[in-house]
Amino acid sequence: MPKFAANLTMLFNELPFLDRFAAAKAAGFTGVEYLFPYDFEKAVLGEQLQQHGLTQVLHNLPAGNWSAGDRGIAIFPDRVTEFRDGVKRAIEYAKALGCRQVNCLAGITPADADPAELQSVFVENLRYATSALAKQQIKLLIEPINTRDTPGFFLNETEQAIQIISEVGSENLFVQYDIYHMQIMEGDLAPTMKKHLDRIAHIQLADNPGRNEPGTGEINHPFLFRYLDEIGYRGWIGCEYKPKTTTLEGLGWYEPHTVDA
């Protein structure tokens, strides 16, 4: 079975953030991810990882003002300097935390924008970021996100991500494939993951509808876990879902001694 990482932005919200590392370890997880590390000192986060024997699997590049509605800044012509400064900051954190991959959120398309111009900016920003990250042996990921939860998000289908990767022309650019988002946008999960396996560096999960834990919706997660083994996926799967009740009550689907062995 695949390796599962607890997404500490979504899971164990019953606890303060820094206490979630211990909770994840106690629940049997060996890896963690979360949206952003930047509100905490690198040493503080590193201490939590080391103390609990956890691998930092993923975090995002700085994505603008999240509380004000930003969902990434990589497509905006007037924020290129901010984006590049964010790449440098992400590298500092990733190196300190031993994180070997970071995700780039594209951003929400402004109503009056030219999509071709936004894509051009996105591609150039990704070229800059992949080059800078490659020097540190850190992978860059881009993530298609559904437009029901995030209306107007620029990147929302797998083939679109693959096309952008081709245009960027870097061997250091990959897809973060979120099962929940892609079930909403395109379905056909298993064949799509098999087709693009060589470009998928990270997978995330949640069930649909509701974005809750596996077993609460329509997605056949046990089949997908077996299928990913069969096709040779060796990366992590991030558990980026909203527990229906508490995190621990919602972990009935997860058997850590089996899946993380």
Side-chain angles (χ1 to χ4, degrees), residues 142 160-170 173-175 199:
I142 54 174
Q160 181 190 4
I162 295 298
Q163 188 275 324
I164 288 170
I165 288 172
S166 177
E167 188 173 346
V168 172
S170 172
L173 184 59
F174 300 86
V175 175
R199 301 314 300 171

Side-chain angles (χ1 to χ4, degrees), residues 160-235:
Q160 181 190 4
I162 295 298
Q163 188 275 324
I164 288 170
I165 288 172
S166 177
E167 188 173 346
V168 172
S170 172
E171 292 299 314
N172 195 41
L173 184 59
F174 300 86
V175 175
Q176 176 171 302
Y177 187 90
D178 189 302
I179 289 169
Y180 166 74
H181 290 306
M182 293 303 92
Q183 174 70 359
I184 292 171
M185 292 304 299
E186 59 193 30
D188 216 22
L189 301 172
T192 301
M193 287 189 285
K194 182 177 182 180
K195 179 180 179 181
H196 298 298
L197 184 65
D198 63 333
R199 301 314 300 171
I200 295 174
H202 189 62
I203 292 173
Q204 292 179 324
L205 65 78
D207 219 328
N208 181 63
R211 203 174 187 177
N212 304 127
E213 56 265 37
T216 58
E218 66 185 348
I219 300 173
N220 187 345
H221 285 92
F223 163 78
L224 289 177
F225 299 155
R226 293 192 301 270
Y227 185 78
L228 287 168
D229 274 347
E230 291 170 8
I231 64 175
Y233 178 72
R234 297 294 179 260

Side-chain angles (χ1 to χ4, degrees), residues 3-259:
K3 301 177 294 183
F4 293 89
N7 186 296
L8 300 186
T9 303
M10 305 283 276
L11 302 188
F12 303 105
N13 271 262
E14 305 87 355
L15 302 169
F17 182 78
L18 291 177
D19 292 341
R20 298 175 197 174
F21 292 82
K25 181 65 175 182
F29 290 99
T30 57
V32 296
E33 63 176 39
Y34 35 85
L35 285 178
F36 307 108
Y38 311 110
D39 286 341
F40 298 90
E41 294 293 333
K42 295 184 288 290
V44 171
L45 296 172
E47 181 181 0
Q48 289 296 320
L49 295 169
Q50 183 176 16
Q51 180 180 348
H52 302 294
L54 293 166
T55 298
Q56 178 75 41
V57 173
L58 178 84
H59 62 75
N60 291 324
L61 296 180
N65 188 338
W66 196 263
S67 62
D70 282 341
R71 291 299 181 266
I73 58 173
I75 59 173
F76 298 121
D78 59 343
R79 301 180 76 170
V80 171
T81 298
E82 181 184 354
F83 175 84
R84 295 189 175 194
D85 289 343
V87 171
K88 296 173 185 176
R89 193 175 185 203
I91 288 172
E92 292 173 359
Y93 270 84
K95 288 176 65 178
L97 302 177
C99 184
R100 309 315 307 170
Q101 53 188 14
V102 297
N103 182 46
C104 173
L105 294 170
I108 297 174
T109 304
D112 58 349
D114 176 3
E117 180 184 17
L118 299 183
Q119 174 137 335
S120 178
V121 172
F122 193 28
V123 167
E124 289 305 313
N125 275 335
L126 292 174
R127 285 175 179 158
Y128 171 85
T130 54
S131 177
L133 289 159
K135 293 173 184 177
Q136 305 299 329
Q137 297 182 309
I138 301 169
K139 294 177 181 178
L140 181 64
L141 285 54
I142 54 174
E143 180 185 13
I145 289 177
N146 84 76
T147 54
R148 185 168 70 200
D149 291 347
T150 309
F153 195 79
F154 182 80
L155 178 59
N156 43 63
E157 294 185 350
T158 306
E159 291 293 343
Q160 181 190 4
I162 295 298
Q163 188 275 324
I164 288 170
I165 288 172
S166 177
E167 188 173 346
V168 172
S170 172
E171 292 299 314
N172 195 41
L173 184 59
F174 300 86
V175 175
Q176 176 171 302
Y177 187 90
D178 189 302
I179 289 169
Y180 166 74
H181 290 306
M182 293 303 92
Q183 174 70 359
I184 292 171
M185 292 304 299
E186 59 193 30
D188 216 22
L189 301 172
T192 301
M193 287 189 285
K194 182 177 182 180
K195 179 180 179 181
H196 298 298
L197 184 65
D198 63 333
R199 301 314 300 171
I200 295 174
H202 189 62
I203 292 173
Q204 292 179 324
L205 65 78
D207 219 328
N208 181 63
R211 203 174 187 177
N212 304 127
E213 56 265 37
T216 58
E218 66 185 348
I219 300 173
N220 187 345
H221 285 92
F223 163 78
L224 289 177
F225 299 155
R226 293 192 301 270
Y227 185 78
L228 287 168
D229 274 347
E230 291 170 8
I231 64 175
Y233 178 72
R234 297 294 179 260
W236 291 84
I237 297 180
C239 301
E240 193 184 47
Y241 62 80
K242 299 180 291 186
K244 261 199 158 180
T245 55
T246 68
T247 301
L248 291 178
E249 288 175 355
L251 282 176
W253 66 273
Y254 175 61
E255 299 176 14
H257 300 297
T258 301
V259 298

